[in-house]
Every structure is written in structure tokens, then in C-alpha cells.
Amino acid sequence: MEPYNGDWMRKYRGHCKLVLKPASTEEVSKILKYCNDNLLAVVPQGGNTGLVGGSVPVFDEIVISTGRMNKIRSFDEVSGVLVVDSGVVLEVADQFLAEKGYLFPLDLGAKGSCQIGGNVSTNAGGLRLLRYGSLHGTVLGLQAVLPDGTIIDDLCTLRKNNTGYDLKQLFIGGEGTIGMITAVSIQCPQRPKAVNVAFLGADSFEKIQLAFREAKAQLSEILSAFELMDSYSQDMVHRVRQNKRPLDGEYPFYCLIETSGSNSEHDAEKLEKFLEDVMSKDIIADGVLAQDETQIKSLWSQREGITECVGHFGGTYKYDVSIPLKDLYRLVDETRERIEAAGLKGDTDEFPVVEVVGYGHMGDCNLHLNVAVRRYDKRVEEVLEPFVYEWIGKINGSISAEHGIGIAKKQYLGFSRNNTMIDLMKQIKKLYDPLPKRRLSSVPFYKTHPFKAEENPPLFAQKMDTNALDTAEVDKLNENDKAELRQFLQNENQKARVQNTVHSLTDMCFRKCITSTIKNGKLEKNEESCMANCTERFFDVGNLTVKQLQNMRQS
Ligand code: FAD
Ligand code: MLT
Ligand code: ZN
């Protein structure tokens, strides 16, 4: 069970006791129908490499693992359309395509473990989105199963299909909240015959921006990746791997540039000319061109290895954000300042933070702000959140560029999406997954959601959002009404807080006490007394809370 209950970052814990491994869409359909009819919460899991906790059964959901759905269904060597089961590992699909002279239009560091269903469900971006575009464009069709077991068969292999709403788009990036993807058809490009890679060092982030501009202008159609790394991220790679650095000197910023084309000599010449040009203009301080396949791999591993090396010390607080380029690195600097000012970063074990690093897909304005820690620590979290999300909200950035919402960002969705959009998302979710919520009661159902545990679907913060009020409308009220409204909101927020406490305490009691399977609605004797004890404590806390509220009101 262990691998299904943990996550790649060792940050989230699951309590799943049952993993189901269907081998076909029909089996997925039967499982989901049964779970739906019996109000059992489930969580789809692919390679479990997601970085926002979405694949972890954080309550005790049943894990539906796609690992056995791993067949390559068909490949058309003329059109380049590949049809695969959702459990096919990304690297396996790409190796299959390589033999046919094609390429999977997505590549990322977790390719050896992540699965295509997981990639599509998270709308993963990866290292070459700049060149091959998003899965929203390359995925041509899907087969999926809805929470009630209905199979949606839309494995279209056509590029053009303007027949009504493009429903598959909701599953791409839907993170398993409205259904489970069982197969994917995808447009694959020809594998480039010539790949060249350069690794460059620069003295400032401004200069990296200039280099990006020049790369687009001079390398245009052959540019396939432009990746950013700061010195802190490269120091981490060096510290963990003890390897030789690509450049002799050390610089505050680095970028990796890849070109992919059809003529190796022509491309290499272009890249060399580009390098000469940016060095002569003092945009780039130093650079190196890979001479063969081994060097290409080694330069890429300086970039792809960051995720693992940053996590090496114990854990990582990860922020995957979209920011207009000119402001992209400012967030890293300001975060580092905050962490240092709070006295949380240092070289010895008493400090939770090892380093604050920045890297990412510069070509897509996608920054990965990572805080490498020796252990997860509330104090660090409080310095980081909601600061990072507020920062992003203020500049109209996105709090999730490519990793999704999961459970990590659920409560912060409002920083990137307005209430109208969130309401629409809720309606769509309800449409696909209409079962009414089951209220928490003495019945030991702390699951209220048939498809994922209620708390697990990523989209909706439950807290009442006082910022959501239309301030123009509030301004129209007289002072008395304003005061009354304020009081009302305050009361509602207090109620919500108390309800949350009740909710989590009941969850906790249930999880702590009920260890066996419940037969005929009856609990075991020891479970009953444990529940009674736990509930008494729960009422004690309830009384205390009421007293506290009364005191607050009096003061
Ligand atoms: P999982 O982690 O198993 O699941 C992810 C989410 O999708 C969960 O919410 C899960 O419930 C849901 N899900 C899984 N399968 C299905 C299905 N068949 N139907 C419906 N829902 C499903 N992401 C990027 O975007 N770009 C990167 O460059 C990148 N690099 C990474 C590098 C490393 C080293 C690691 C560890 C992760 C990286 N990721 C990256 C994050 C991650 O999103 C991807 O690894 C991948 O897309 C997740 O696929 P998976 O099969 O592991 O999905
Ligand atoms: C990457 O770009 O390396 C991935 O998105 C993983 C990460 O954010 O570390
Ligand atoms: Zn990334």
C-alpha cells in the first residue's frame, strides 16, 4: 500500500486500504458505477508523480490505479496519430514512437514513471511546450468514464472536428474531478533529425531576457526549448551530485537552449552564430555547445535534475506559477528575503530552510519557485502562504502554470480565477458528478463525495470569501446596513470556522477509531468506546469554542 499512500515530495499522506487495478475501460466503468451507487470515494492514480497532492488518497479513498491499462492501441505512420491506454508510461510511448521516426509531443523529468492519463489529466506542460504546444492542442480524442460509470467514447483521430462543444478539453487538466481518462489519441510530430543544445551563463536576469529575445529572433523555427536556472538551483545540483559544472565560471543565471531541426550542420551553424553574437554583445558571459549525444544528455540533466536535487534534503515547498517575464525572477528574490528575514534559512540542522531557488520554462513565462527544506515546518509555510499567492494575484499571474491545483492550491484558486468562473466550474462539476452531498452525521461517512472525497477535488475553497462582495454595491448601502452586513459576515465566518473544527474533529475520531470493516452498520465494541471517548473530547472542545466566542463577543 505504501507507494499508493505517499507522494513524490513526501508531503502528503494517504490512508487508502484498497487499490483497484482495472485492465480495461469496461472494468473502470463497473468500478465507478459500484462506488457511485455505494457512495464510496475514489481517487484515480497514474504514475503518482504529481506535485500538488492530487493523486494521494488523503482520506481513505479507494485508489484506482491505471498501471495495468498499458497497451499501445494503434499508430498511424502517415498521420502520426497515436492511440494509447491511459496507463502507458510516457517514456515507453516515446520510445515506441522513436522507432517509427516520431516523437511524443510532451517531455518532462518524470517521463520514466508518469503515465499519459496522468499527463493529460494534469495538462502537463514540460520542457518543449514552446515548440510542440499544449496538450489542449495535440490531444485529438479521449475515452473517459464518468463517476456513474457512463463511458464517453470520443477517441477521435481527426485534427479538425468542429461538431459542437469540444468536451474533451474539460478532461484535459481536469485532474480526475469529472471523470477518469482510460485512453488518449494524440497527434505526434516527426522526430527531429538534428538536436543541438547550448548551456549559457549570464550576469543578470535582464540579460537572460535579452538572450531569449535573440534566440527567438535568430533561431526562430528550430528553437525547441529555452529553460531558465538560477545559480542557487545549479549550486544544489552540484552539491548533491558533486559533478563537474558545464561552465568554468559561476554566474547568477543560466539558460539551456535546445534547437530541433532537420539539418544538423545547418542548425549547429545557426546556434554557433547565435552564441557568438550574444557573447560579442555582452548579453551572455560564457557558453558551451554540446558536441555529442552524451553531452546533450549531461547538459539537460543539469536542468532536469533540479527537482530531485532540491528535494534531496528532506522536502520542497513548490510553487509553479505564470508571471509576465519582466517580473518573473522578482518573486524568487522577494521570497528569499522574507525567509531570511524570518531567520529560517541556514546551513545547520536547526534551520528548516536550505535554500530558495528559481528555475523553469522561461519560454512559457513559467517559473518554478522552490524552497528546499530539511523538514516541512509550519513557520516556513506561514511565511510563504498566502504571500506567494497574493503576490501572483496582484500581478494577474497564474498560481498554477502546469502542475494543477490538487489539494495544495485548492484554497487559493480565487487568486487566479474570479467568482463567476469558479461558480461555472462548480456547475460543470455538478453536471458530471451530480450526487447530492451526504451530510456529516453519526453515520460514519466522512466522505461526502462519491468520486473523490469532498475535500479532495481541487476546485473550491469552502470558506466564505468576504472579498467576493461587489464593493460598488456595498458602497451604496447606508452606514447602518453596512455595519449590519459586516456583522453578518463576521458571524458567518465564525460559524464556518466552528463547522470546520467540528468537521475535522469528527474525521479525526473516525479515522482514529474505526479500524475494521463496518458490517450491518455496527461498530466493534472497542471502536464504539473509542468513538464515545473521542466524541466527548470533541464536545469539550465544542464547549470551549462556544465560550471563546462568547468572550469575544463580550469584549
Ligand atoms: P498522477 O500523479 O498519478 O496524477 C496526477 C493527477 O491526475 C491526480 O489528480 C490524479 O487523480 C489524476 N489522474 C491520474 N490519472 C488519471 C486518469 N487516468 N484519469 C483521470 N485523472 C487521472 N509537470 C509538468 O507539467 N511539467 C514538468 O516539466 C514536470 N516535470 C516533473 C518532473 C518530476 C521529476 C516530477 C516528479 C514531476 C513533474 N511534473 C511535471 C509533475 C506531474 O504533473 C507530471 O509528472 C505528470 O503529468 C503526472 O502524471 P502521473 O501519471 O504521475 O499522474
Ligand atoms: C520541472 O520543470 O522541472 C517540473 O515542472 C518539476 C518541478 O517543478 O520541479
Ligand atoms: Zn516544469
Side-chain angles (χ1 to χ4, degrees):
M1 282 298 166
E2 186 52 30
Y4 301 95
N5 275 320
D7 74 316
W8 201 87
M9 298 175 294
R10 299 180 292 273
K11 194 168 182 191
Y12 303 101
R13 282 300 314 153
H15 300 87
C16 158
K17 297 201 175 78
L18 178 65
V19 178
L20 297 175
K21 298 181 170 179
S24 67
T25 303
E26 289 67 31
E27 285 183 13
V28 172
S29 164
K30 282 184 193 155
I31 291 171
L32 287 182
K33 181 169 176 5
Y34 181 88
C35 291
N36 198 51
D37 291 347
N38 292 281
L39 284 179
L40 296 168
V42 304
V43 61
Q45 199 176 90
N48 200 13
T49 65
L51 298 172
V52 286
S55 50
V56 185
V58 286
F59 299 95
D60 68 352
E61 304 95 303
I62 296 168
V63 166
I64 308 185
S65 163
T66 45
R68 281 179 69 223
M69 294 198 288
N70 56 6
K71 285 185 198 59
I72 293 179
R73 295 194 186 181
S74 68
F75 180 64
D76 183 327
E77 296 200 27
V78 179
S79 66
V81 176
L82 174 75
V83 183
V84 287
D85 281 357
S86 57
V88 171
V89 170
L90 176 58
E91 196 168 45
V92 171
D94 189 54
Q95 274 163 4
F96 168 86
L97 288 164
E99 285 164 21
K100 316 269 179 200
Y102 280 84
L103 169 106
F104 200 90
L106 167 74
D107 188 16
L108 43 85
K111 56 183 156 279
S113 321
C114 64
Q115 300 174 3
I116 290 169
N119 299 147
V120 174
S121 300
T122 54
N123 186 26
L127 304 162
R128 291 191 189 80
L129 187 136
L130 172 75
R131 174 65 168 270
Y132 300 112
S134 134
L135 291 171
H136 279 296
T138 48
V139 170
L140 302 177
L142 289 179
Q143 191 176 55
V145 183
L146 297 185
D148 68 358
T150 305
I151 296 174
I152 300 188
D153 222 327
D154 181 27
L155 264 184
C156 176
T157 53
L158 306 168
R159 277 198 93 161
K160 296 176 116 179
N161 185 2
N162 278 354
T163 46
Y165 298 137
D166 191 359
L167 295 176
K168 70 171 181 296
Q169 298 298 349
L170 290 176
F171 292 85
I172 304 173
E175 296 181 63
T177 54
I178 58 166
M180 186 149 169
I181 297 172
T182 54
V184 173
S185 62
I186 186 160
Q187 180 73 55
C188 302
Q190 291 275 342
R191 206 168 193 89
K193 292 195 174 62
V195 174
N196 290 286
V197 171
F199 190 95
L200 319 177
D203 293 324
S204 69
F205 182 63
E206 282 64 39
K207 290 194 172 174
I208 291 281
Q209 290 182 69
L210 289 178
F212 179 44
R213 199 172 140 183
E214 289 299 328
K216 283 195 290 184
Q218 297 184 33
L219 304 170
S220 54
E221 79 286 354
I222 58 168
L223 182 65
S224 53
F226 193 107
E227 294 286 308
L228 167 78
M229 294 149 277
D230 68 2
S231 61
Y232 301 97
S233 70
Q234 289 306 285
D235 288 350
M236 287 262 156
V237 173
H238 183 65
R239 197 165 150 185
V240 174
R241 295 187 170 167
Q242 299 286 308
N243 58 344
K244 187 173 167 339
R245 292 171 186 260
L247 303 177
D248 292 335
E250 289 179 29
Y251 302 91
F253 292 94
Y254 301 92
C255 61
L256 182 149
I257 298 179
E258 183 194 76
T259 62
S260 302
S262 55
N263 184 325
S264 192
E265 267 173 46
H266 164 266
D267 293 357
E269 203 179 299
K270 254 184 145 174
L271 192 55
E272 266 166 43
K273 240 175 115 198
F274 160 80
L275 192 54
E276 275 169 28
D277 183 61
V278 286
M279 284 180 74
S280 70
K281 288 178 180 154
D282 193 30
I283 294 175
I284 286 302
D286 194 9
V288 61
L289 286 177
Q291 299 301 316
D292 54 33
E293 188 64 26
T294 314
Q295 286 184 13
I296 288 181
K297 280 205 177 113
S298 144
L299 291 183
W300 261 119
S301 102
Q302 288 292 126
R303 164 62 185 88
E304 289 185 81
I306 298 172
T307 314
E308 189 193 321
C309 295
V310 167
H312 171 85
F313 302 87
T316 321
Y317 288 97
K318 290 184 95 64
Y319 300 94
D320 152 49
V321 298
S322 279
I323 301 178
L325 267 187
K326 67 177 174 36
D327 291 319
L328 191 104
Y329 198 74
R330 199 158 55 80
L331 176 62
V332 185
D333 280 336
E334 290 183 22
T335 304
R336 189 178 303 109
E337 277 164 24
R338 274 176 73 86
I339 290 280
E340 281 172 352
L344 294 168
K345 176 166 136 5
D347 290 334
T348 51
D349 209 37
E350 78 217 65
F351 298 97
V353 176
V354 182
E355 196 47 270
V356 178
V357 315
Y359 58 99
H361 316 289
M362 171 113 176
D364 316 322
C365 302
N366 178 184
L367 170 77
H368 294 313
L369 161 69
N370 280 212
V371 179
V373 289
R374 298 185 171 89
R375 56 198 165 267
Y376 291 109
D377 186 315
K378 205 85 209 125
R379 289 172 302 159
V380 179
E381 208 170 303
E382 279 164 11
V383 171
L384 295 171
E385 296 175 20
F387 163 77
V388 173
Y389 296 118
E390 283 172 356
W391 200 99
I392 296 295
K394 268 188 217 138
I395 57 153
N396 291 325
S398 168
I399 63 156
S400 174
E402 58 170 8
H403 294 164
I405 298 294
I407 46 169
K409 300 181 183 175
K410 183 182 120 178
Q411 57 176 323
Y412 299 111
L413 193 63
F415 286 103
S416 281
R417 299 287 194 201
N418 63 34
N419 286 339
T420 311
M421 294 179 84
I422 292 178
D423 281 346
L424 275 172
M425 290 193 215
K426 284 182 181 176
Q427 286 174 38
I428 289 169
K429 164 80 181 157
K430 231 186 211 155
L431 181 73
Y432 281 79
D433 190 6
L435 265 189
K437 278 187 192 170
R438 188 156 192 148
R439 300 278 323 159
L440 193 75
S441 68
S442 54
V443 183
F445 269 108
Y446 57 90
K447 294 290 150 34
T448 53
H449 203 281
F451 195 60
K452 278 190 165 189
E454 188 207 354
E455 291 79 355
N456 206 12
L459 296 181
F460 324 118
Q462 305 289 328
K463 218 178 78 182
M464 173 161 251
D465 182 3
T466 44
N467 298 327
L469 287 174
D470 184 339
T471 44
E473 287 301 314
V474 175
D475 284 345
K476 287 184 201 154
L477 299 176
N478 65 35
E479 283 313 310
N480 278 349
D481 288 349
K482 272 187 201 164
E484 202 175 317
L485 179 63
R486 257 195 305 273
Q487 186 59 49
F488 170 76
L489 288 173
Q490 224 172 32
N491 293 346
E492 286 302 306
N493 273 332
Q494 274 175 356
K495 259 198 257 166
R497 272 199 293 272
V498 174
Q499 270 163 3
N500 269 347
T501 317
V502 170
H503 200 103
S504 50
L505 272 166
T506 317
D507 268 8
M508 203 182 65
C509 289
F510 183 73
R511 224 177 288 144
K512 185 172 146 39
C513 300
I514 315 298
T515 48
S516 67
T517 315
I518 299 154
K519 292 185 196 113
N520 311 323
K522 288 201 177 116
L523 302 178
E524 302 278 334
K525 253 210 142 42
N526 60 337
E527 290 176 335
E528 235 176 75
S529 60
C530 175
M531 268 313 260
N533 257 333
C534 194
T535 335
E536 268 169 32
R537 294 292 78 77
F538 157 80
F539 280 121
D540 289 348
V541 174
N543 288 338
L544 265 176
T545 314
V546 171
K547 272 196 193 132
Q548 176 80 3
L549 284 177
Q550 279 167 346
N551 288 345
M552 276 162 68
R553 199 165 298 136
Q554 277 157 12
S555 63

